[in-house]
Amino acid sequence: MTKTALILRHVAFEDLGSFAPVLKEAGYHLQGIDAGIDALPDPLAADLVVVLGGPIGVNEGATYPCMDQERDWLIPRLAADRPTLGLCLGAQLMAAALGARVAPLPAKEIGFSPLTLTEAGRAGPLNHLSEVPVLHWHGEAFEIPQGADLLASTPACATQAFARGRTLLGLQCHPEAGMLPDFERWLIGHSTELAHAGLAPEDLRQQARQHGPALRAAGQAMIGQWLRELHP
């Protein structure tokens, strides 16, 4: 039986990336909607919801009303433990919907670096990301929601991932992205942010050349295991 995966996107170039073929192979029909444009459907209806990243922030609801709308839309879904995956901004929205604080970091974390996994992280799907430099691209971070487990950290961000049971997973990092040539869209789309941060696109491009293939393989293995464990 075909399952439905609702993909909530904030900007076109931050998409499912390497996760898309894994979801399709697992039998999911992908239904994409664009934040701030498309109406949010019944929060409980889809078999899986994936909330993707973006350049705006959870706390910017006064400027971007879709932030408050998405957070509130997630509340009943997460309360019902319906399968939900959040990536970067998506994970921050999940954390906020679960009552946790989201706040700016002292400095932005942009580039590839490995995660330090907790015991809970090593025991689950994130074990595939062990010692693999993953893509980071954020200036804010979530606190771990009550009842959830911290899965990973980096020196720049102590809260890189959380899970609550088998069905809720939030990842501050981007294991779905970072593979050239698709990564070039990130460099173009975030050109102003990179300039303000004093980061050279060529440096990130070189990191993608070096780490992208391994991250693609590790990220696909991670999401594949998580999907299998949704229905043991």
Side-chain angles (χ1 to χ4, degrees):
M1 183 176 68
T2 300
K3 303 179 288 274
T4 300
L6 182 70
I7 315 301
L8 179 53
R9 184 175 66 176
H10 298 94
V11 288
F13 60 86
E14 292 199 31
D15 55 21
L16 274 177
S18 68
F19 286 4
V22 181
L23 265 67
K24 292 177 182 177
E25 186 176 342
Y28 286 91
H29 169 70
L30 308 184
Q31 176 188 352
I33 60 173
D34 287 315
I37 299 173
D38 298 321
L40 294 169
D42 179 352
L44 302 180
D47 296 292
L48 171 65
V49 163
V50 183
V51 187
L52 297 173
I56 56 179
V58 170
N59 299 311
E60 296 184 84
T63 306
Y64 300 100
C66 63
M67 290 290 90
D68 290 346
Q69 294 162 7
E70 291 174 45
R71 180 202 60 210
D72 293 347
W73 176 77
L74 282 166
I75 290 173
R77 182 172 183 89
L78 304 185
D81 287 322
R82 295 285 286 149
T84 307
L85 170 66
L87 299 171
C88 202
L89 172 59
Q92 295 169 4
L93 284 162
M94 288 177 64
L98 291 168
R101 180 172 174 262
V102 177
L105 290 168
K108 291 190 176 186
E109 184 179 27
I110 299 176
F112 291 75
S113 65
L115 301 170
T116 298
L117 301 182
T118 64
E119 183 177 350
R122 292 190 297 272
L126 264 69
N127 73 89
H128 295 286
L129 301 179
S130 179
E131 300 181 6
V132 177
V134 299
L135 176 64
H136 307 275
W137 203 304
H138 64 115
E140 297 190 331
F142 49 73
E143 292 184 347
I144 301 301
Q146 186 174 2
D149 294 317
L150 171 65
L151 303 180
S153 64
T154 60
C157 178
T159 54
Q160 281 285 349
F162 71 86
R164 196 179 75 181
R166 287 196 301 264
T167 60
L168 307 185
L169 179 62
L171 303 172
Q172 185 62 74
C173 56
H174 287 280
E176 85 289 0
M179 183 75 173
L180 291 169
D182 289 347
F183 186 57
E184 194 67 27
R185 296 183 297 162
W186 286 60
L187 301 178
I188 295 169
H190 288 306
S191 58
T192 300
E193 181 180 16
L194 292 177
H196 286 168
L199 296 173
E202 180 54 31
D203 290 344
L204 292 167
R205 198 175 286 121
Q206 181 56 39
Q207 291 179 37
R209 291 189 189 101
Q210 182 178 357
H211 303 303
L215 178 56
R216 178 181 176 87
Q220 289 185 328
M222 185 217 75
I223 192 63
Q225 180 178 335
W226 185 72
L227 291 173
R228 290 191 299 272
E229 291 180 356
L230 285 177
H231 307 286

